[in-house]
């Protein structure tokens, strides 16, 4: 029997991943989608091909009807609460696939609680921006029992992603450990670009000249983020691409892991201080790219370029 899939959590990333599961996942049954804010599920369902998806009225229904349950939630508390509710029912033989970015200790505790109920967990955090999720270009990091990981792979490379990083038969927390460390690279990249562009403006080099250098030397994410800064996208968006609250959550996890490991991440400490300034200036609408505005303010410029 082909498996029945459920997707729980429809943030910026989740919506794009659902779209690609439906369009490229070769599903024999409609994808069941559920979100605490039902309007998001309704809106997404309306954009998907007719008959390829259906909406669950509650979490219990979404889990009970599924063989494989994908989750993608914003923080540790949300995924803990969701899984705690999900495993109250009979989940024996089910496979949970968590794409959330959380502390590795959270992932390992979830894996144990799910295993204790006769089910399995594969951790599957992903690298990439929402546009990459929409285009099926994410990088999927898979960890957990090898047999379970093999059941998830058909939905990753070539469907939701362009590549897999395979940690089969390694603890599920290894995947989210890589995800947290990897996200510090993004945080530090935005900090570097923000400082560089602020200096380029203050010193007279000019932002366009610096951007040309970035395009030539660092095509890809550096160029994309540089363009966002110069276009003012870091403060003009109605909905952030990488929300400041989530960015600070990741920074906190990274600093916690560093301290527990006897090392330092001083670049992350600086960037997190700027994220705190973004929160003060923009509230929950702030984006990680708003670091540029915070650095500008320190240089005596307006937050908005």
């Amino acid at each position: 029997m082909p498996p029945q899939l459920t997707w729980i959590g429809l943030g910026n990333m989740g919506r794009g991943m659902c779209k690609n599961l439906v369009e490229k996942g070769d599903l024999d049954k409609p994808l069941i989608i559920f979100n605490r804010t039902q309007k998001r599920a309704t809106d997404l369902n309306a954009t998907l091909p007719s008959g390829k998806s259906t909406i669950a009225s509650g979490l219990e229904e979404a889990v009970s009807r599924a063989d494989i349950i994908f989750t993608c939630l914003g923080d540790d508390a949300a995924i803990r609460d969701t899984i705690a509710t999900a495993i109250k029912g009979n989940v024996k033989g089910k496979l949970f696939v968590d794409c959330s970015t959380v502390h590795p200790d959270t992932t390992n505790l979830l894996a144990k609680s799910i295993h204790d109920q006769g089910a399995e967990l594969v951790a599957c955090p992903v690298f990439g921006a929402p546009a990459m999720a929409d285009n099926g270009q994410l990088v999927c990091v898979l960890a957990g029992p090898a047999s379970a990981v093999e059941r998830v792979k058909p939905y990753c490379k070539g469907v939701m992603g362009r590549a897999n990083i395979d940690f089969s038969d390694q603890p599920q927390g290894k995947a989210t450990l890589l995800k947290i460390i990897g996200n510090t690279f993004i945080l530090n990249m935005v900090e570097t670009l923000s400082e560089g562009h602020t200096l380029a403006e203050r010193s007279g080099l000019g932002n366009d000249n610096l951007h040309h250098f970035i395009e030539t030397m660092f095509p890809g994410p550096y160029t994309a983020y540089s363009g966002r800064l110069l276009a003012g996208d870091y403060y003009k968006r109605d909905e952030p691409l990488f929300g400041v609250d989530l960015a600070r959550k990741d920074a906190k996890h990274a600093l916690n892991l560093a301290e527990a490991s006897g090392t330092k991440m001083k670049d992350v400490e600086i960037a997190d201080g700027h994220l705190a300034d973004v929160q003060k200036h923009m509230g929950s609408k702030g984006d990680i790219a708003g670091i540029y505005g915070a650095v500008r303010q320190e240089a005596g410029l307006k937050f908005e370029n």
Side-chain angles (χ1 to χ4, degrees):
M1 290 281 292
Q4 173 66 67
L5 272 59
T6 279
W7 190 281
I8 298 170
L10 297 173
N12 285 340
M13 301 294 287
R15 293 194 292 269
M17 295 164 80
C18 275
K19 178 178 77 74
N20 283 294
L21 268 181
V22 167
E23 294 177 355
K24 297 186 290 184
D26 195 25
L27 305 184
D28 291 289
K29 301 174 182 178
L31 177 69
I32 300 169
I33 55 178
F34 172 74
N35 195 72
R36 286 178 297 180
T37 304
Q38 193 167 24
K39 185 178 185 302
R40 286 196 173 190
T42 303
D43 290 347
L44 175 64
N45 188 58
T47 68
L48 298 175
S50 178
K52 293 292 187 178
S53 63
T54 184
I55 301 171
S57 60
L59 178 61
E60 295 82 356
E61 177 194 347
V63 173
S64 66
R65 290 172 56 190
D67 303 300
I68 301 176
I69 302 106
F70 285 85
T71 52
C72 188
L73 299 170
D75 56 37
D76 299 59
I79 188 61
R80 282 196 301 263
D81 291 348
T82 296
I83 295 300
T85 301
I87 62 177
K88 286 179 180 177
N90 180 14
V91 295
K92 189 173 181 179
K94 296 183 186 291
L95 175 59
F96 289 82
V97 185
D98 186 35
C99 303
S100 310
T101 300
V102 294
H103 195 287
D105 289 350
T106 298
T107 301
N108 288 331
L109 288 171
L110 292 175
K112 183 181 185 306
S113 63
I114 289 169
H115 181 76
D116 288 347
Q117 298 303 314
E120 294 290 352
L121 173 70
V122 168
C124 183
V126 297
F127 286 104
M132 295 171 71
D134 287 341
N135 296 323
Q137 293 297 302
L138 299 171
V139 175
C140 304
V141 188
L142 297 152
S147 59
V149 169
E150 289 303 313
R151 292 174 65 191
V152 180
K153 282 183 179 179
Y155 310 111
C156 295
K157 183 179 178 181
V159 179
M160 295 189 297
R162 63 177 176 84
N164 296 337
I165 297 176
D166 189 347
F167 289 168
S168 291
D169 276 340
Q170 296 190 50
Q172 289 90 338
K174 285 288 185 72
T176 41
L177 177 57
L178 176 62
K179 173 61 173 171
I180 292 297
I181 295 174
N183 273 10
T184 68
F185 284 51
I186 299 169
L187 183 58
N188 292 336
M189 173 186 68
V190 177
E191 178 71 30
T192 297
L193 287 168
S194 299
E195 293 177 6
H197 271 300
T198 300
L199 177 57
E201 181 172 347
R202 275 302 208 180
S203 66
L205 172 66
N207 298 114
D208 289 342
N209 288 334
L210 181 61
H211 183 72
H212 181 62
F213 160 76
I214 293 165
E215 284 182 309
T216 305
M217 289 292 294
F218 305 110
Y222 273 83
T223 296
Y225 265 95
S226 178
R228 287 190 66 202
L229 303 189
L230 296 191
D233 184 69
Y234 67 95
Y235 66 89
K236 293 178 179 178
R237 299 186 61 85
D238 291 329
E239 184 177 0
L241 287 180
F242 189 162
V244 63
D245 296 342
L246 297 181
R248 292 207 73 195
K249 177 260 298 179
D250 292 354
K252 178 181 177 182
H253 286 338
L255 294 172
N256 174 271
L257 289 164
E259 182 178 6
S261 301
T263 186
K264 300 275 189 186
M265 301 193 87
K266 293 191 175 182
D267 287 348
V268 176
E269 292 176 12
I270 293 169
D272 184 53
H274 286 140
L275 287 173
D277 294 335
V278 177
Q279 280 182 320
K280 291 175 185 175
H281 191 83
M282 296 194 68
S284 60
K285 286 184 64 175
D287 186 278
I288 190 173
I291 287 174
Y292 183 39
V295 174
R296 287 172 55 83
Q297 283 184 318
E298 286 183 342
L301 300 170
K302 285 186 176 181
F303 185 96
E304 297 80 8
N305 66 346

